[in-house]
Amino acid sequence: MNYFIIDEIREDNIKKVLKLYFKAKDKNYYLTRDILSFLVSEIQLLYPQYKCMGILI
């Protein structure tokens, strides 16, 4: 591989951020954050070129 080509998918400092906003019906439900974490991790697997972040509003 050529040394001047950057592997953008694997470089953490080059990744763009994908912010995912979630609105919960009940923020006090004890599994809300676990479900949010699971969803963000599944989306991260589908889009490795982004750094995925989940935000609960």
Side-chain angles (χ1 to χ4, degrees):
M1 187 180 274
N2 294 330
Y3 68 91
F4 57 86
I5 296 176
I6 297 173
D7 189 1
E8 293 181 4
I9 292 176
R10 292 183 178 86
E11 292 288 330
D12 286 334
N13 58 350
I14 298 175
K15 286 185 180 180
K16 295 178 183 172
V17 176
L18 177 60
K19 290 184 181 179
L20 305 163
Y21 293 92
F22 297 91
K23 186 174 181 181
K25 277 180 130 177
D26 182 12
K27 285 186 180 181
N28 295 326
Y29 183 59
Y30 73 101
L31 287 177
T32 298
R33 294 192 183 273
D34 290 334
I35 294 168
L36 175 72
S37 178
F38 172 74
L39 291 173
V40 172
S41 66
E42 288 295 309
I43 294 169
Q44 181 68 67
L45 289 173
L46 295 173
Y47 298 102
Q49 66 271 26
Y50 294 101
K51 178 181 178 185
C52 296
M53 295 175 57
I55 300 169
L56 184 60
I57 55 172

